[in-house]
Amino acid sequence: MLETGKLRKEDYIIRKAPYGEIKFPSVFSEAGISQQVLQNNTLYPLAAVMGLADKAATILTPTANWKVCAQCVFEDIDCYGVAYVRRHNTIKSVQLCSKHATQLLSSCPACKKTIAQHSNMGFRTCSEQYGVEDINIFFDSPRHMFSRFIEGLLEYNGEPCSLSVAGIIILYKLLAMGYSLSRMQLDLDRVNRECNYLLGIESVNSEFFLRSTTLSTYVEMAFLAFREPGSYLFSLTDRDVWKTLEEEVRWGLTP
């Protein structure tokens, strides 16, 4: 999601075709770096670990909801000469920097452009007007943990997971934690209240587990259930965990 040379942002968006086929821009395919870019510079690893990699509606290179951390901008310019947008900061519900635990900026304090409209090189000039002395820090808050949760899952480089497996693991965990109306019915009102309390999210998609569910919704639900990326990944791959969660749901036990 970096701005390269004279390319427009539209020139390097990786799109999904019908049936989930990935269409790469010519700038990547001609350079032979399509798979590298897919793994390291898009939301593909997150979609893969959430079981949504093959869904045509899954957006791998978002064009909206871009955000930056002011301190990251300073560090990027010192290190690289240019600032860039981290891919996990394009998830709509991510509000804090995973490194500095500070509030992310969705628009530039200097020129007032949205970050999605801002040029990467333009941060050199605009950042001269940024102030960091009054920035609030929220280390280890739920919103900071959520940013780190997504950042951790973006390190996934395994085979794409099945949506049915990912969905059932998240559902069983939430039900075992007590977010249930009945043994197999999720209490979405309670889930919404909890997400609002922890993350400041107004509402979770009520169509969770349906085909229209977004990547952002799945990640929010996974965080509510597991909190740590390692815990989710372990539960996803260890069938003994599946059996334990299923038994907890069946007998109404809580962890």
Side-chain angles (χ1 to χ4, degrees), residues 24 31 54 64-65 73 75 82 89 91 99 111 127 169 174 180:
F24 294 98
D54 63 344
N65 300 313
V73 168
E75 293 176 4
V82 64
N89 291 345
I91 297 289
K99 180 179 181 181
C111 69
S127 63
I169 287 297
L174 289 173
S180 58

Side-chain angles (χ1 to χ4, degrees), residues 162-176 208-209 218 221-222 225-226 231-243 245-246 249:
S162 162
L163 177 59
S164 59
V165 170
I168 286 296
I169 287 297
I170 297 170
L171 175 62
Y172 278 179
K173 181 64 173 178
L174 289 173
L175 291 174
F208 185 53
F209 300 120
Y218 255 85
M221 299 292 249
F226 293 98
S231 177
Y232 171 70
L233 291 171
F234 180 72
S235 299
L236 198 64
T237 56
D238 193 305
R239 291 187 177 275
D240 288 338
V241 175
W242 300 7
K243 293 177 182 178
L245 288 174
E246 188 176 14
V249 172

Side-chain angles (χ1 to χ4, degrees), residues 1 13 42-43 59-66 87 90-91:
M1 285 181 275
I13 295 174
T42 76
L43 297 180
I59 299 173
L60 301 180
T61 49
T63 57
N65 300 313
W66 289 22
R87 54 182 170 172
T90 64
I91 297 289

